Amino acid sequence: MFALPDAGAQFINIQINVEPQVDTTVEQPLDFGQAISGVGFQNIPLGSPNMGIFQIRALRTQRLLLAIEIDDELVHEDPLIDARIPLNLSATYTDSGVNDYLQSVPFGSDLQTVIVNPPDQNPNAVWSSIFIYIFGDVNIAAVPVGVYRGEILLTIVYE
C-alpha cells in the first residue's frame, strides 16, 4: 500500500469589478446662424442640418436616466448689454443605435428612462448608441447686434 505524505492546499481569490461606461459627444451643435435684428421667428425643424445632436454610447441593455435643461433665452455675450432673445426648443431621441431622426420619439419633460437597444442590423452588438435631437425656434426682436449665447445641459445617470 502506498501512503501519501500530508499535503496542504493553497488558493488565490480572484475578483474583478466591471464598471459600465457611458460616453457622450456633441455630434452637431445647434446653429441658428446669422440673423437680422427684428427679423422675428427663425425655426430649425426636426431634420434640419442645423439641429443639434448628442450621441450617447453605452452598453446595450444599459438603463440610463436622462435629463435635459434648456435655457429659455439667449443672452448677449457682452455683460454690459442687457438684451435677450426668447428661445423655444424641443428634443426627441432614438434608442436603437441608429442616427435617424425619423425614428425618434419626443423627450419627456423631466427625467427620461431609456434602455439602450442594439441596432436591428447588429442585435448582438455589445455597444450601442442613443441619439438626442434638439430643434426649435427663436424670436428675434429689435435687439442690439452681437453674439447671443445659451446652454443645453444633458445629464446622464447610470449604474
Side-chain angles (χ1 to χ4, degrees):
M1 183 161 234
F2 182 69
L4 291 174
D6 288 340
Q10 299 294 320
F11 61 91
I12 297 174
N13 286 331
I14 298 174
Q15 179 178 333
I16 186 169
N17 186 12
V18 178
E19 293 287 330
Q21 180 177 339
V22 173
D23 293 322
T24 305
T25 57
V26 175
E27 292 293 305
Q28 183 171 293
L30 179 66
D31 184 9
F32 283 96
Q34 293 184 350
I36 299 170
S37 179
V39 75
F41 280 96
Q42 282 199 299
N43 183 265
I44 295 178
L46 178 61
S48 167
N50 294 332
M51 72 180 174
I53 302 174
F54 287 107
Q55 179 183 9
I56 303 168
R57 186 170 178 266
L59 294 170
R60 82 179 161 143
T61 71
Q62 191 167 3
R63 182 184 169 139
L64 308 176
L65 293 175
L66 307 176
I68 295 180
E69 294 177 45
I70 301 173
D71 287 348
D72 293 334
E73 54 194 11
L74 302 175
V75 178
H76 199 284
E77 73 176 356
D78 183 344
L80 299 176
I81 298 176
D82 185 25
R84 301 170 188 286
I85 297 174
L87 184 62
N88 181 27
L89 299 180
S90 298
T92 62
Y93 71 95
T94 62
D95 62 359
S96 62
V98 179
N99 184 0
D100 182 359
Y101 70 90
L102 294 173
Q103 297 180 22
S104 66
V105 295
F107 197 90
S109 58
D110 292 327
L111 281 179
Q112 183 75 44
T113 301
V114 178
I115 296 176
V116 181
N117 292 307
D120 289 339
Q121 66 272 24
N122 190 2
N124 296 322
V126 174
W127 294 94
S128 191
S129 293
I130 293 172
F131 292 91
I132 299 174
Y133 308 99
I134 309 293
F135 55 96
D137 55 63
V138 292
N139 186 5
I140 303 172
V143 293
V145 296
V147 176
Y148 291 78
R149 299 186 186 277
E151 287 187 343
I152 300 170
L153 177 63
L154 172 63
T155 302
I156 304 167
V157 178
Y158 62 96
E159 296 177 3

